[in-house]
Amino acid sequence: MNTGIQGIRLRRAVGVAVTTGAVLASGALHAAPAQAAAAPTIVAKGGYVMNNGNGKSLYTKAADTRRSTGSTTKIMTAKVVLAQKNLNLDAKVTIQMAYSDYIVKHNASSARLIVGDKVTVRQLLYGLMLPSGCDAAYALADKFGSGSTRSARVKSFIGKMNAEAKKLGLKNTSFDSFDGIGNGKNYSTPRDLTKIASSAMKSSTFRSIVKTKKYTAKTITKTGSTRTMAPWTNTNTLLSNYSGTIGVKTGSGPEAKYCLVFAATRNGKTVIGTVLASSSAAQREKDAKQLLSYGFGKA
């Protein structure tokens, strides 16, 4: 009895194996292909995303179209400063009236630096990248440009910005300002800005600054006392609103509209990208979130 039952079981098993083999051979049994995520639709007129580890492009939208960049220009400002030989981040810079007058004249974003205060280069970099201080940008250009007059030093510094762009092989980028308040020749593209940011992120100092949400500077006043500045808050809201965000910089302006260069790391992968000419601060963040999530799906 037992032998008969075992025989039936064995014949059934053989039959199933043969049938399965035939199906496999015919190719009828196969895994359904993974559905590729559809590329997101963003409001920004230009966008680009790449895998920061290998430089692979993950998303493009008018990625090589030249546009005004607003304060995302300041990524290059910081990069030029951090590339200086024998850089002393603790060197002090005295804030000049010219920096304050410039802010007033252009109604520009400000780190609220106080004329006569001595501020370190490190503090100026935080003032540049967090509240997007055009006064901090001016101070850095004046400090690190060369020449006997302020205008000559500023011109020299902007020349260094363009030299860095050339060194990176960027053919669609030009700077005529240290902060993005240009005179018609301050432009870049989503692809180029992403490459500038990727290069800047090689600096540990730059990385530390752009991922900081809040920073309080203590400056030295004319009389030698210590002034505790009002905290600088990072304009990059992604740092609080998208898990894994590590930078980089916002930008805006009448021509530039709303821009954002962004980077995030998840599961050991870093995705970096840019959106240019979005419709609002909230929308540029939404655009960036979509591109980051899409990028991580493809990275």
Side-chain angles (χ1 to χ4, degrees):
M1 184 73 178
N2 284 349
T3 307
I5 290 168
Q6 283 172 352
I8 291 165
R9 280 180 181 160
L10 182 62
R11 282 195 298 276
R12 278 182 185 161
V14 170
V16 168
V18 169
T19 306
T20 306
V23 169
L24 284 171
S26 71
L29 194 70
H30 59 82
Q35 289 296 309
T41 302
I42 58 170
V43 171
K45 289 181 180 173
Y48 181 74
V49 179
M50 76 175 190
N51 180 324
N52 197 50
N54 57 22
K56 180 188 171 191
S57 295
L58 304 172
Y59 173 92
T60 61
K61 176 183 178 180
D64 300 307
T65 301
R66 296 174 178 182
R67 297 187 190 280
S68 177
T69 56
S71 286
T72 60
T73 297
K74 290 168 181 154
I75 297 168
M76 184 60 97
T77 309
K79 180 172 162 52
V80 166
V81 171
L82 291 166
Q84 299 302 302
K85 283 181 183 174
N86 306 314
L87 177 66
N88 177 8
L89 288 167
D90 297 315
K92 291 183 175 62
V93 176
T94 302
I95 303 306
Q96 307 293 321
M97 181 60 82
Y99 313 156
S100 181
D101 289 345
Y102 177 84
I103 293 295
V104 173
K105 181 184 174 184
H106 293 284
N107 191 27
S109 52
S110 167
R112 302 180 302 283
L113 299 171
I114 294 163
V115 176
D117 277 14
K118 288 184 171 63
V119 184
T120 67
V121 171
R122 187 193 312 276
Q123 289 168 338
L124 286 173
L125 286 166
Y126 275 95
L128 174 79
M129 299 303 284
L130 272 64
S132 201
C134 295
D135 44 357
Y138 198 164
L140 289 165
D142 194 6
K143 165 78 174 168
F144 292 102
S146 50
S148 56
T149 65
R150 187 170 290 122
S151 61
R153 290 191 291 274
V154 165
K155 189 178 177 183
S156 157
F157 186 85
I158 294 166
K160 290 182 182 185
M161 293 170 72
N162 284 310
E164 279 290 328
K166 198 172 180 183
K167 204 188 288 182
L168 288 171
L170 310 179
K171 293 187 170 58
N172 290 308
T173 295
S174 167
F175 299 107
D176 69 357
S177 76
F178 47 72
D179 58 1
I181 302 174
N183 300 298
K185 288 186 179 173
N186 207 92
Y187 58 79
S188 189
T189 67
R191 191 190 305 268
D192 280 10
L193 269 174
T194 302
K195 287 180 177 178
I196 292 167
S198 177
S199 178
M201 291 290 268
K202 289 174 182 172
S203 160
S204 58
T205 302
F206 184 89
R207 288 197 306 274
S208 295
I209 292 168
V210 297
K211 74 178 181 186
T212 301
K213 293 179 188 177
K214 257 196 173 91
Y215 181 87
T216 302
K218 294 194 177 201
T219 62
I220 307 300
T221 68
K222 282 179 187 174
T223 59
S225 61
T226 301
R227 185 196 309 280
T228 302
M229 298 285 287
W232 290 324
T233 302
N234 202 319
T235 55
N236 182 9
T237 51
L238 275 180
L239 289 165
S240 299
N241 299 336
Y242 190 87
S243 172
T245 298
I246 54 172
V248 174
K249 183 75 186 75
T250 60
S252 60
E255 192 187 347
K257 303 304 179 196
Y258 292 87
C259 312
L260 181 55
V261 181
F262 51 85
T265 299
R266 286 184 178 180
N267 301 319
K269 285 180 182 172
T270 298
V271 168
I272 189 164
T274 300
V275 289
L276 293 182
S278 196
S279 57
S280 68
Q283 187 60 53
R284 74 183 167 196
E285 183 188 294
K286 192 177 173 187
D287 287 345
K289 282 179 178 175
Q290 286 189 81
L291 293 188
L292 280 166
S293 295
Y294 178 72
F296 280 119
K298 287 188 74 179

